[in-house]
Amino acid sequence: MALRHAVLAALLDGELSGYQLAKSFDLGVANFWHARPQQLYAELSRLEKDGLITGREVVQESRPNKRLFHVTEDGRAELARFAATSAKPSLIRDDLFVKVQAADHVDAEPLIAQLTERAAFARAKADLFTKLLCDMRGDRTEEDFLRHGDRIGPYLTCRRGLAFEEGNRDWCLHTIAVLRARQQA
């Protein structure tokens, strides 16, 4: 997947400025695709040049003008083409896993501290995803929302982000418990 497809998908919900797109990435898209704001602005320019999005200038009083972008029919066709291609399996590449791999040969305390920090980060992200899911479905049950909601794609990717962070948290806590038990033995 290229950043362009993630940006196109993020713009499906309506017009966004570059700033709003960056915020959207922070809150939702970042659970499966990370990009820095400068990368997003550069991609918006490329997408507009390629005719996959179009932008319009919005004049604002007491603020700088801004550009709002939306997906064109060519952009929707590109997303449809992308969605029809085979997805490559994702791979894990994580420094912390390398450190745990070496756990039998390094001091466990710094490793436990890093695992504790990662578990706290994962817990905070899981809490954020839980709130986002509640906001997306409103007063509906999850079953009703998934059956009758307008846009379930963002909801489903947020559910995956939640499961990912819960898995990270649980793995970290389990690994800490194993390391602590081995220290006491």
Side-chain angles (χ1 to χ4, degrees), residues 63-178:
R63 288 185 181 188
N65 294 345
K66 66 180 177 180
R67 288 186 56 74
L68 294 178
F69 299 93
H70 70 272
V71 180
T72 63
E73 286 307 313
D74 285 347
R76 288 180 186 277
E78 171 60 20
L79 268 176
R81 184 201 61 72
F82 173 72
T85 60
S86 295
K88 297 175 187 171
S90 58
L91 304 171
I92 298 174
R93 184 176 171 172
D94 191 320
D95 293 354
L96 186 57
F97 288 18
V98 175
K99 294 173 183 184
V100 171
Q101 175 76 18
D104 300 309
H105 303 282
V106 298
D107 181 5
E109 283 309 313
L111 191 50
I112 289 170
Q114 291 174 56
L115 287 159
T116 301
E117 183 179 318
R118 179 72 65 89
F121 177 81
R123 185 177 299 113
K125 287 280 290 207
D127 290 347
L128 175 63
F129 288 138
T130 299
K131 182 183 179 326
L132 285 171
L133 290 165
C134 288
D135 290 347
M136 281 189 243
R137 72 175 177 266
D139 58 359
R140 296 171 124 169
T141 65
E142 183 170 79
E143 182 180 327
D144 181 57
F145 179 79
L146 291 174
R147 192 176 299 252
H148 305 290
D150 291 333
R151 284 252 300 127
I152 61 165
Y155 191 88
L156 292 171
T157 57
C158 192
R159 288 279 304 146
R160 179 61 186 113
L162 175 61
F164 177 78
E165 293 303 344
E166 289 174 337
N168 283 339
R169 178 202 60 214
D170 294 348
W171 177 80
C172 288
L173 295 175
H174 176 75
T175 303
I176 291 167
V178 168

